[in-house]
Amino acid sequence: MTIVNLAQDYVGSNNLNLLLPNGQYGTRDQGGKDHASARYIFTEPAPITRTIFHPADDPLLNYLKEDNDQIEPEWYIPVFPLVLVNGVEGIGTGLSQFPRPPSSLCIGDLLFKRRVEHIGPEL
């Protein structure tokens, strides 16, 4: 289900999809619930993905092994918090949360202001 959600690109699903929706990932009409079974869909990273997960961070990642082959990293390091862009949904003990993500332009402005405050303006 996670891969399906990461590839949905219709209005209201994600502000930023990290995977290309090469297959039936659901429609806006049914909120993505009409997606195909995971074994029948294909995907690949979207072109913007390497901008968000910068290649210079690759040596810092702990790559997993399967059948003695190196596969994906245990975790990734995005250049900005993706929780702010695509939102989050979670359930805790006696608490459920589903905060709506703010506008992408608002996030960009806030990150730029933070960079100027902590690093200083570019010369």
Side-chain angles (χ1 to χ4, degrees):
M1 188 67 184
T2 301
I3 293 202
V4 171
N5 292 339
L6 286 172
Q8 291 174 334
D9 63 349
Y10 55 85
V11 175
S13 62
N14 287 316
N15 283 332
L16 180 66
N17 60 305
L18 300 175
L19 302 174
L20 293 177
N22 301 334
Q24 172 55 353
Y25 284 88
T27 61
R28 180 180 180 194
D29 184 47
Q30 297 198 13
K33 294 180 181 175
D34 55 340
H35 63 84
S37 179
R39 65 178 173 246
Y40 298 118
I41 55 178
F42 302 95
T43 190
E44 59 187 304
I48 196 167
T49 303
R50 285 312 273 174
T51 304
I52 298 167
F53 301 102
H54 201 276
D57 292 336
D58 288 353
L60 302 173
L61 303 177
N62 179 28
Y63 285 88
L64 302 173
K65 286 192 174 191
E66 185 173 295
D67 294 332
N68 222 12
D69 291 330
Q70 183 175 326
I71 57 173
E72 75 270 359
E74 185 176 5
W75 39 260
Y76 288 93
I77 307 171
V79 295
F80 59 88
L82 287 172
V83 168
L84 294 178
V85 177
N86 286 338
V88 65
E89 183 175 349
I91 299 174
T93 305
L95 176 68
S96 176
Q97 67 176 8
F98 185 67
R100 296 281 179 200
S103 163
S104 298
L105 296 174
C106 178
I107 295 168
D109 288 344
L110 290 172
L111 292 174
F112 179 76
K113 288 177 185 175
R114 181 180 172 116
R115 179 171 187 245
V116 169
E117 288 174 6
H118 293 284
I119 297 175
E122 293 184 50
L123 299 177

